[in-house]
Amino acid sequence: MSIEVQAVSKSYGTQLALKEISFSAKKGEIIGFLGPNGAGKSTMMKILTGYISPSKGTVFVSGINVLTNPIEAKATIGYLPEQNPLYQEMYVKEYLQFQAAIFKVSKETIATVIKTVGLTPEVHKKIGQLSKGYQQRVGIAAAILHNPDVLVLDEPTTGLDPNQLQEIRTLIKDLGKEKTILFSTHIMQEVEAVCDRVIIIKKGELLLDASMKDLKQSNEQIIEVTFDYKLEEQFIQKLPNLKTYKNNFDNTWYLSFDSLEDMRPVIFDFAQENGLKILELSSKNQRLETLFTELTA
């Protein structure tokens, strides 16, 4: 495994930031690391990259114990923090040469990385003159200069316009063909478009670790329906394949079904058979954003 996190906890005084977090990742996986503000995402990433130590637990990167061999482990990790730490007055190429010297990276490798992240047109500009999207590219370039096995990206798409988002998304997908990538974001569309797996945490606890394929193949359907008459709960329970139900407001019901069959015609038949009229009906797709809200609200 490229990443192994085993029962990691982190406390700041009396505040517990992480509680018994465990997960693993193999080479070639792109994992979306999600959670509301204050969930512990950045803390976990700092532990994973060796910037801080956990209160309990063990972390391995590329088979190396991050706690007992931090220098060796960091050589296999590329890290882009949430606040991209760039020297605004340095030229792009100058900055990457400066970073490359730390890892004794050749000039040829620098040129290859510049091309890989699409910085060639901007390479002779000062970093402070670049757009936010190109500055993020500089940060990613610095993170992959030493060809790490694992890439950790903390909010890499924050503040980007739609075109920049698409460009960074494509870049992450390309890098993920050869590396293990763990990145946090609040943009659910990015996770659905890029990730193979999703991990959701809240208040330092792991709530979900699932593949995007499994999430997309869920049989669950969510339908919101408004009848012309207020029904009793036991009446709604007669609907087939009903999983959960909630009376949102007066005559409106929020229904979830476990079925591959489209349940909208079934609801129409149910209404007709019982002398009801449907005033409104809408299908709510059980996408990642809905799941995230349900788990973390």
Side-chain angles (χ1 to χ4, degrees):
M1 290 290 178
S2 294
I3 297 174
E4 283 189 73
V5 176
Q6 302 174 352
V8 165
S9 296
K10 179 65 178 178
S11 298
Y12 295 101
T14 58
Q15 183 179 354
L16 188 63
L18 293 174
K19 182 180 179 181
E20 298 287 324
I21 297 288
S22 297
F23 65 90
S24 61
K26 59 187 179 182
K27 184 177 180 180
E29 273 194 306
I30 303 178
I31 301 174
F33 197 50
L34 309 179
N37 290 332
K41 303 186 300 297
S42 292
T43 297
M44 185 68 253
M45 289 183 158
K46 289 175 183 176
I47 291 172
L48 187 63
T49 53
Y51 279 76
I52 61 175
S53 298
S55 302
K56 295 180 181 178
T58 310
V59 178
F60 291 89
V61 176
S62 300
I64 304 166
N65 190 317
V66 176
L67 307 181
T68 58
N69 298 290
I71 302 300
E72 187 180 351
K74 287 177 183 179
T76 69
I77 302 169
Y79 180 37
L80 176 65
E82 183 178 0
Q83 302 298 328
N84 192 355
L86 301 173
Y87 293 105
Q88 300 290 315
E89 292 303 314
M90 294 183 76
Y91 292 93
V92 172
K93 193 171 184 179
E94 178 188 16
Y95 174 75
L96 293 177
Q97 288 171 339
F98 167 70
Q99 292 287 333
I102 299 171
F103 296 99
K104 298 181 173 58
V105 172
S106 68
K107 291 182 179 179
E108 290 77 14
T109 299
I110 297 172
T112 300
V113 167
I114 288 172
K115 184 177 180 181
T116 297
V117 301
L119 277 171
T120 303
E122 313 295 321
V123 73
H124 298 298
K125 290 183 180 179
K126 286 187 176 181
I127 292 173
Q129 297 175 318
L130 302 179
S131 67
K132 179 68 181 295
Y134 274 112
Q135 289 195 21
Q136 288 298 81
R137 287 172 186 259
V138 174
I140 294 174
I144 65 173
L145 272 171
H146 57 299
N147 193 28
D149 297 324
V150 174
L151 197 55
V152 178
L153 309 175
D154 197 353
E155 300 284 355
T157 57
T158 299
L160 304 186
D161 66 34
N163 290 331
Q164 293 168 340
L165 279 172
Q166 180 60 48
E167 292 165 357
I168 297 299
R169 176 195 295 177
T170 301
L171 176 57
I172 291 172
K173 290 179 72 173
D174 288 342
L175 292 171
K177 294 174 183 176
E178 298 181 353
K179 304 181 186 301
T180 303
I181 298 180
L182 180 73
F183 82 96
S184 69
T185 180
H186 286 101
I187 305 172
M188 300 300 149
Q189 296 92 330
E190 293 304 298
V191 177
E192 291 181 329
V194 173
C195 294
D196 305 302
R197 265 173 64 203
V198 60
I199 293 173
I200 298 178
I201 66 172
K202 177 187 178 183
K203 293 182 179 179
E205 296 189 56
L206 193 149
L207 301 181
L208 177 75
D209 183 353
S211 72
M212 289 302 301
K213 183 179 179 181
D214 287 345
L215 291 177
K216 290 176 180 178
Q217 288 180 343
S218 171
N219 293 342
E220 185 171 10
Q221 297 176 53
I222 297 177
I223 296 174
E224 189 172 31
V225 58
T226 302
F227 298 105
D228 65 336
Y229 181 80
K230 187 171 183 176
L231 301 179
E232 296 297 325
E233 195 171 293
Q234 59 267 28
F235 203 66
I236 284 291
Q237 291 174 350
K238 294 179 180 180
L239 282 163
N241 302 316
L242 186 65
K243 185 177 177 183
T244 63
Y245 55 89
K246 181 181 178 183
N247 186 201
N248 277 0
F249 180 75
D250 288 339
N251 305 350
T252 301
W253 290 84
Y254 194 78
L255 312 172
S256 73
F257 299 88
D258 187 11
S259 175
L260 290 173
E261 178 188 2
D262 187 346
M263 295 303 295
R264 289 173 296 179
V266 175
I267 293 174
F268 276 110
D269 291 343
F270 169 82
Q272 188 174 22
E273 289 167 5
N274 292 279
L276 298 168
K277 292 181 181 179
I278 293 177
L279 304 182
E280 288 186 31
L281 185 145
S282 61
S283 179
K284 310 290 185 181
N285 209 355
Q286 177 68 341
R287 300 178 69 83
L288 183 58
E289 188 169 350
T290 304
L291 180 61
F292 178 86
T293 302
E294 289 179 352
L295 288 174
T296 62

